[in-house]
Amino acid sequence: MLNPEQRRLFHKFLILGMAVQSLQRNYSVIENLKMSKVYLPILDKLLKDITQDYYNKKRLLAKEKIRLFKVEKIDEYFSDVHVATAGNDVVLRYANMALKTQVENLLLSHQNKDQALN
């Protein structure tokens, strides 16, 4: 079972993982653009920062013996996320569109944070 703090941490971990996957998928597309030299450094920085956050969250979850077991697409609207814990395993149902929106918001917030620092 997950307590509320563990659930928040796991949710953040899930969103970060999806953001990393999305950036990696888009990387090859951006490499083929004529202006790739402009976009790749931005994408590299974003991918590096988000990957680091992802692994930090993964370590925190591992200390509490919590890990992502699998993501199972139910239909076009919902997915079940199976979480392995030290006690009972948990299945969390997420709306696919909500996950997509949260990944986009995460990427935008990281990008805006980087721009504010420059």
Side-chain angles (χ1 to χ4, degrees), residues 97-114:
M97 190 54 83
L99 287 174
K100 180 180 179 246
T101 302
Q102 290 175 7
V103 168
E104 288 174 356
N105 290 340
L106 174 79
L107 293 173
L108 288 171
S109 70
H110 267 270
Q111 185 179 10
N112 292 338
K113 182 176 71 173
D114 286 344

Side-chain angles (χ1 to χ4, degrees), residues 1 7 9 15 101:
M1 199 69 187
R7 188 168 175 149
L9 180 62
I15 298 300
T101 302

Side-chain angles (χ1 to χ4, degrees), residues 1-12 64:
M1 199 69 187
L2 296 174
N3 66 37
E5 183 59 35
Q6 290 170 329
R7 188 168 175 149
R8 274 192 291 279
L9 180 62
F10 182 81
H11 179 73
K12 184 73 170 172
E64 299 191 36

